[in-house]
Amino acid sequence: MKKLDRSLIALLIIYSFMHGVLIFLHDEKQVFWYVYTGLLLFSSIGYIFYERNIESKRLFQSIGTGLIAAFIIVVIYTVLLQLHQTITFNGLLREMIKMGVYFKWQLIITLIVAIPLHELFMRALLQDKLMQYIHPIAASVITSLMCAALFSYAVPFNVVMMIFIVQLILSVSYVYTKRLITPIIGEICAIVILIMIYGR
């Protein structure tokens, strides 16, 4: 097996630190959003390991792939909603309120700050490094599980599974384009579309 380089080890240490903080504060769910956003800011130090893929797809193709990913997320959520009424949109909003997202400005910060930082760390850094050692699909599944695991301290299991599915779609879209803009657009557009459809 290929020897692990220092950058991957450093990224795994940062990820483990994030888990350690969330475990320590697992009884303080009402501050989860603040803690998680702070951890994402902390994790941005991993940017020093970021290496842009020169052979990535064209920009418009990357944006288009992100929009397709958003559409797939919305469709899958709509189907799952028919099968499991426990993941209603209002229910998800209630979970966000429990985590500390009380105001619209917090949701805006999540869209323009937290999501790009999340995708930078999980996709362009961690997933990218894992793909150097294992098959891209395996790396996508592992990264998606790691993403979902961070939320396991604050939300029910069914929501964690929904997060895993969303992250898997975003991971696969990133494998296709190798551009960070793809999962960022996919996640932000999916949230906006879901708010427009179900947030009335």
Side-chain angles (χ1 to χ4, degrees):
M1 182 179 175
K2 186 178 176 182
K3 186 178 178 181
L4 298 180
D5 63 18
R6 275 188 253 179
S7 58
L8 178 57
I9 293 172
L11 292 171
L12 292 174
I13 290 173
I14 293 172
Y15 177 80
S16 299
F17 173 77
M18 294 168 74
H19 264 290
V21 172
L22 293 173
I23 290 171
F24 181 72
L25 296 172
H26 74 280
D27 289 328
E28 307 294 334
K29 290 184 180 179
Q30 68 274 15
V31 298
F32 180 88
W33 180 84
Y34 300 97
V35 173
Y36 189 69
T37 305
L39 288 172
L40 289 175
L41 288 169
F42 167 77
S43 72
S44 65
I45 64 173
Y47 186 77
I48 60 177
F49 304 119
Y50 180 51
E51 299 172 13
R52 186 176 178 277
N53 193 316
I54 303 300
E55 299 176 355
S56 59
K57 307 290 182 182
R58 288 183 302 234
L59 179 61
F60 289 117
Q61 186 174 355
S62 301
I63 293 173
T65 303
L67 293 174
I68 291 170
F71 175 75
I72 292 171
I73 290 169
V74 172
V75 169
I76 288 178
Y77 173 79
T78 303
V79 171
L80 290 176
L81 183 60
Q82 305 305 314
L83 300 175
H84 300 282
Q85 293 299 316
T86 53
I87 55 169
T88 62
F89 192 74
N90 287 334
L92 293 176
L93 289 179
R94 282 195 296 272
E95 291 298 332
M96 290 184 68
I97 291 172
K98 289 178 185 177
M99 292 188 292
V101 184
Y102 302 106
F103 307 104
K104 289 181 180 178
W105 63 263
Q106 292 173 307
L107 183 58
I108 292 172
I109 289 177
T110 298
L111 290 175
I112 65 176
V113 177
I115 287 176
L117 286 175
H118 172 91
E119 293 302 325
L120 168 66
F121 183 77
M122 289 295 178
R123 223 71 60 196
L125 298 175
L126 193 54
Q127 182 175 335
D128 234 19
K129 285 295 178 183
L130 286 174
M131 286 193 295
Q132 295 176 14
Y133 299 91
I134 58 179
H135 191 277
I137 297 302
S140 298
V141 173
I142 291 172
T143 307
S144 301
L145 285 170
M146 293 173 75
C147 291
L150 289 171
F151 290 88
S152 62
Y153 306 103
V155 297
F157 179 74
N158 60 325
V159 178
V160 172
M161 289 305 299
M162 183 66 202
I163 292 172
F164 168 73
I165 293 170
V166 169
Q167 293 300 316
L168 186 59
I169 294 168
L170 296 173
S171 292
V172 172
S173 72
Y174 178 74
V175 168
Y176 178 68
T177 66
K178 299 294 191 301
R179 275 187 181 264
L180 186 58
I181 193 172
T182 300
I184 290 176
I185 288 213
E187 191 164 357
I188 291 176
C189 287
I191 291 172
V192 171
I193 293 170
L194 288 171
I195 290 174
M196 290 173 63
I197 296 175
Y198 298 104
R200 291 178 240 172

